Amino acid sequence: MSILVILSAQFLAAAALSLVAVGCYLALKSPWRAAVVVAPLVALVPWQARGLHGEASARLALAACALWVFHLLIRQGVFVGRRRFYTAAALSTAALLVSPAGIIMLAAMGVILSIPRTGTRFPSAPLAFIALPVSVKAAVEAFLRHKAAFAWLSNISLGWAAPQWYMAAHGKPFNVSDALYNRGFFWPLLIALAVLLVLRRRQWWFGPTALMATVLFVGSVVLGAGLYFQYSLTTQIALIVFFGIAAIAKEGEIKGQSP
Amino acid sequence: MVEKYLFRIIYSIAEKTFKAAVAADSRGKTAAALAIVVSAALFSVMPQVYLARPAADELTWGARALTPWWFPEEKIADRSLRSPEYQRQYYFAIHHPSVARIVYRFALHRAGFYEPPEEAWEYGLGYNDNLALGHRLPYDFRLTLRSVNAAFFAGAVVFIYLSTALILANRFLAVVATLPFAFEPTISNGWKAVVPYIGADAIFLFFLAAFLYCLLRLKDKGLPGVLALGMIAGITVSTKVNGSFALIGALIYFAAYSRGWRRLAWPVILGAMSVAVFLALNPIYFGGGLSWAVSVFKDTLRLMFYLKETTTALDWGTYTRWETIIGAFPYLSFLVPIAIVVVSARREKWFPVVSCWSASIVVLNLFLVYMPQPRYAAPVRMAFFVILMASGLSLLRSSFATRRGEAA
């Protein structure tokens, strides 16, 4: 493992976290609240700095976060008409070039945003998010690798969880996690914290954030080989950002009451 | 073949449970819910009861269980006059309080084991070296003790279910709240987990959970309730000294939420009763006057510090404070949503008592444990799950009730 790859992954992860911060700021309208959501993520990444999440994982996170921020901006009405289409096509193409695994996020956005009742009228979404990026990616691959235009599709399972070489390293964090965390220590939390999502489901940011979190989380569960929360940047972003924003969003007060 | 029969049995239980749940009265539904949580607990731990590797301390615990727990009757303060056998009994008596020894002894006698194992675990050797030398309990001996652990863990799950059912006033939600604890990895994942590991921990979880249930039931019952709670607290502390954290939580609750003179009286009576039960179950402390009791207490503390120093000096035992906390309590990265959910439930009736019990166990354990062993993390996880699940599910129920009200 070249040191350059590790450095590159560190920078890519930092860029992804910066985009997470921007997205949280857009959703919460407060830099302090956004900082509270991002802080656990920032604390988690250096803790596992030796192993990182792998470059593929950082690239996927970067692509997914960029698309999430774009989706939030669409919901805010920043991009409309042709400008929205061209920006979506350019951003999607860039995301796919950065991470082949990003095709799953793009496919989800292309399908969801083309449905009229999603709150974002974007009938040409499949073209902008799927067809154009895939065409460009295939053309670039064909040019670079000759007759292997779609070989990158076999790599879409990369980046969803910790790389195997790190899992096999068996450092102390691995042993601790193996004995205590197990692979799914966070599952019970999802049951207990579901109330936050139920209460915030009508907020404007909920749709884009749910889409991003669902794609990253389900992708990690299905495609990630050995899903350990503390080694999976995609799972961390999906869960911490979604539940974090839902917890400290201003709208919709959470009230308890006696039975 | 075995799998076929096992599948038939599980299918039969599941079918009967489902039928009882669908077509039963209130009592039948409770029975069905209990059947579900107990089945889940046993399903989670039983494979490890049969198959897990021998644990390092099992020979020591086997010998400790079959050494009479009421000894030494004669109090010999001068160490130079103590025989090796006397010193061994004294060591066993101060190493852990007596309840686990009593329970294990009873179970072993029922299974026909009366003599302590002849081999002893050599702590200076490695794990595999000890096994190569045959330092392990006979399989049936080990199975007996692990079965006791499994039974007590199932009992703990039942008390957690009953407590959450009391809190949430809903059987289905109580089952949902209990299942994560039934499948908690610190209980069943590997030979170091609570149930396969032979020690006081499964029994300790049982009494911690029982203490919560009794606290919820008896907190408003006046003097008889406080006395009964004192008895349970004394037994819990006599299982493992960490049980005092639950007692501290109860003392804080009574001091903060009682009215008038009870604010002082209930904590004093609760504490006194606990100490009385503790002394009754640990006869090592009395019979030699106050100076003897003080010297035993000092020896106990000295032994605890010695064990901590020797264990953390080993290559596998060196953990930083942060590694210990994050290992025992990995939920810190979800601190923001967890805090919001728990704080939002603060107006619920049950919140003060459950939060006192839960917070004292979580905080004091995290403050004092020195390595993230599964058996040290298990009480923390249990206390955390109770308050988190109760908070989250009661808020969820409230939000659905509000929606139904608005729709109506």
Side-chain angles (χ1 to χ4, degrees), chain A residues 47 172 178 180-181 188-189 192 257, chain B residues 189 318 326 330 348 372 389 392:
Chain A
W47 184 58
K172 189 192 277 184
D178 196 31
L180 286 155
Y181 287 73
L189 299 185
Q257 61 183 43
Chain B
N189 185 17
T318 49
I326 201 75
E348 305 276 353
M389 287 292 167

Side-chain angles (χ1 to χ4, degrees), chain B residues 262-280:
Chain B
R262 295 177 189 83
R263 199 180 278 267
L264 182 64
W266 287 168
V268 169
I269 294 169
L270 177 61
M273 188 67 186
S274 311
V275 171
V277 172
F278 179 81
L279 290 176

Side-chain angles (χ1 to χ4, degrees), chain B residues 154-172:
Chain B
V157 169
V158 166
F159 274 115
I160 292 296
Y161 164 77
L162 292 173
S163 302
T164 46
L166 211 57
I167 290 167
L168 297 166
N170 184 306
R171 290 184 201 86
F172 173 72

Side-chain angles (χ1 to χ4, degrees), chain A residues 13-245:
Chain A
L17 292 191
S18 304
L19 283 173
V20 168
V22 172
C24 290
Y25 175 71
L26 289 173
L28 297 167
K29 312 278 189 223
S30 159
W32 301 111
R33 284 169 185 260
V36 169
V37 175
V38 180
L41 276 170
V42 176
L44 273 169
V45 171
W47 184 58
Q48 48 192 309
R50 280 175 300 163
L52 296 175
H53 314 277
E55 195 193 5
S57 187
R59 280 193 281 154
L60 171 61
L62 181 63
C65 290
L67 290 166
W68 172 54
V69 170
F70 178 63
H71 195 173
L72 288 171
L73 289 171
I74 291 177
R75 279 292 178 94
Q76 286 194 320
V78 173
F79 295 104
V80 288
R82 285 183 184 176
R83 198 174 153 210
R84 182 178 63 181
F85 177 82
Y86 292 136
T87 315
L91 184 64
S92 305
T93 306
L96 195 57
L97 290 173
V98 167
S99 167
I103 184 66
I104 296 175
M105 178 86 180
L106 290 172
M109 287 184 77
V111 172
I112 294 289
L113 295 188
S114 63
I115 298 170
R117 287 189 181 179
T118 54
T120 312
R121 289 185 181 180
F122 201 158
S124 53
L127 187 61
F129 285 107
I130 305 170
L132 279 174
V134 169
S135 305
V136 173
K137 175 77 175 172
V140 169
E141 291 288 317
F143 176 74
L144 292 177
R145 301 186 186 189
H146 307 293
K147 297 180 183 176
F150 292 97
W152 55 274
L153 281 171
S154 61
N155 290 335
I156 61 171
S157 63
L158 293 178
W160 295 95
Q164 291 298 310
W165 58 267
Y166 184 58
M167 303 287 288
H170 283 229
K172 189 192 277 184
F174 180 88
N175 286 337
V176 171
S177 68
D178 196 31
L180 286 155
Y181 287 73
N182 210 349
R183 293 190 177 187
F185 80 90
F186 50 83
W187 286 106
L189 299 185
L190 306 189
I191 301 169
L193 303 178
V195 64
L196 295 171
L197 308 185
V198 171
L199 292 170
R200 308 294 197 206
R201 68 193 182 284
R202 299 198 195 286
Q203 307 304 322
W204 71 269
W205 50 263
F206 188 87
T209 312
L211 181 66
M212 179 272 289
T214 306
V215 168
L216 287 186
F217 183 64
V218 174
S220 301
V221 171
V222 174
L223 296 170
L227 176 62
Y228 280 83
F229 178 80
Q230 66 273 35
Y231 305 138
S232 171
L233 184 61
T234 47
T235 318
Q236 288 169 11
I237 290 177
L239 297 182
I240 293 177
V241 170
F242 197 16
F243 284 106
I245 293 178

Side-chain angles (χ1 to χ4, degrees), chain B residues 58-71:
Chain B
E58 64 176 28
L59 280 169
T60 315
W61 268 100
R64 195 177 285 154
L66 289 173
T67 303
W69 59 274
W70 51 87
F71 275 89

